[in-house]
Amino acid sequence: TQLLEQSPQFLSIQEGENLTVYCNSSSVFSSLQWYRQEPGEGPVLLVTVVTGGEVKKLKRLTFQFGDARKDSSLHITAAQPGDTGLYLCAGARNAGNMLTFGGGTRLMVKP
Amino acid sequence: DADVTQTPRNRITKTGKRIMLECSQTKGHDRMYWYRQDPGLGLRLIYYSFDVKDINKGEISDGYSVSRQAQAKFSLSLESAIPNQTALYFCATSLGGKGTGELFFGEGSRLTVL
């Protein structure tokens, strides 16, 4: 079992729909990052959350860090085909520690 | 030009062959990493280096070795490749310091071992 479990693994939706991706663990993290990876490219950082209960918004994307710092969610409003990609969460147990990645959620947004 | 460059981008090889994947960066970062990506497993850390004289094993280092030739160069070697090492390999860099900072990834090297 992975330290960080992402769900769902796959998601196929129509343009304009909303969606939420989850990243869960039984462990506490000092910080959590979300990356997006497009085909043929490496992951690119979207956001870092460090405070329990923190909410960050990036245009149509809303990221939340759980109060206990064990889980996080990514909500996309009015998804667009350009949102298609692999979304990865990654957590650090302590500041300066290596990141542990979740298994990823592969999102496809159909026009 | 990419800040983190990996070569080769694609490689097909046979079981038992020695393979080297190379990574160079122009970001001036001290920290460099090698990750392996398999479907459904996310990214798993193979080796990492915090400076030229520092090499550390990650969670899946068996069957791999690395060399940090300079601040800007970090290579990954498979001494005797086996089929279950077929995967997408990523090099990444980050700034030093106390925090767990952003990772900057290369475009990946797809390795197939027959």
Side-chain angles (χ1 to χ4, degrees):
Chain A
T1 54
Q2 290 189 276
L3 189 60
L4 279 168
E5 296 285 343
Q6 285 189 241
S7 61
Q9 282 189 294
F10 302 96
L11 190 54
S12 180
I13 61 172
Q14 293 295 132
E15 182 176 2
E17 293 182 6
N18 301 332
L19 68 115
T20 302
V21 174
Y22 299 93
C23 176
N24 295 308
S25 178
S26 58
S27 300
V28 176
F29 292 93
S30 66
S31 66
L32 198 137
Q33 299 178 352
W34 284 92
Y35 289 80
R36 181 169 69 203
Q37 182 181 3
E38 298 186 17
E41 299 181 9
V44 176
L45 181 69
L46 295 173
V47 77
T48 301
V49 286
V50 297
T51 304
E54 182 177 4
V55 177
K56 282 191 174 180
K57 293 191 175 184
L58 184 65
K59 297 183 179 178
R60 293 175 293 100
L61 278 60
T62 302
F63 303 86
Q64 185 164 6
F65 201 12
D67 291 341
R69 291 185 287 128
K70 293 182 179 181
D71 54 83
S72 181
S73 64
L74 157 60
H75 182 80
I76 301 179
T77 303
Q80 299 178 1
D83 296 325
T84 293
L86 178 68
Y87 290 80
L88 295 158
C89 66
R93 298 286 295 276
N94 296 293
N97 274 18
M98 296 302 101
L99 287 173
T100 297
F101 281 81
T105 294
R106 190 165 297 280
L107 171 65
M108 177 177 289
V109 182
K110 301 176 183 177
Chain B
D1 289 342
D3 294 324
V4 183
T5 303
Q6 293 183 227
T7 55
R9 294 291 312 277
N10 289 283
R11 181 73 184 268
I12 300 174
T13 190
K14 295 183 179 180
T15 297
K17 294 291 187 180
R18 184 177 188 274
I19 296 296
M20 179 180 287
L21 306 180
E22 298 186 355
C23 177
S24 62
Q25 52 116 345
T26 59
K27 299 191 74 68
H29 289 170
D30 286 328
R31 299 183 176 188
M32 297 188 74
Y33 311 79
W34 275 104
Y35 284 90
R36 166 179 174 157
Q37 185 174 40
D38 298 278
L41 295 179
L43 291 158
R44 292 181 292 167
L45 184 62
I46 305 172
Y47 271 95
Y48 62 101
S49 168
F50 281 2
D51 63 44
V52 175
K53 297 180 180 180
D54 177 70
I55 299 290
N56 303 282
K57 292 183 177 181
E59 60 181 296
I60 54 164
S61 59
D62 287 349
Y64 303 94
S65 62
V66 291
S67 174
R68 184 81 184 265
Q69 300 96 322
Q71 188 210 31
K73 295 185 182 295
F74 192 36
S75 60
L76 175 71
S77 293
L78 288 68
E79 296 300 325
S80 180
I82 56 177
N84 76 1
Q85 291 177 312
T86 293
L88 185 56
Y89 291 85
F90 284 100
C91 174
T93 72
S94 71
L95 282 170
K98 292 183 179 179
T100 303
E102 177 179 3
L103 290 175
F104 295 85
F105 287 88
E107 294 179 316
S109 296
R110 185 169 296 280
L111 176 65
T112 302
V113 183
L114 302 176

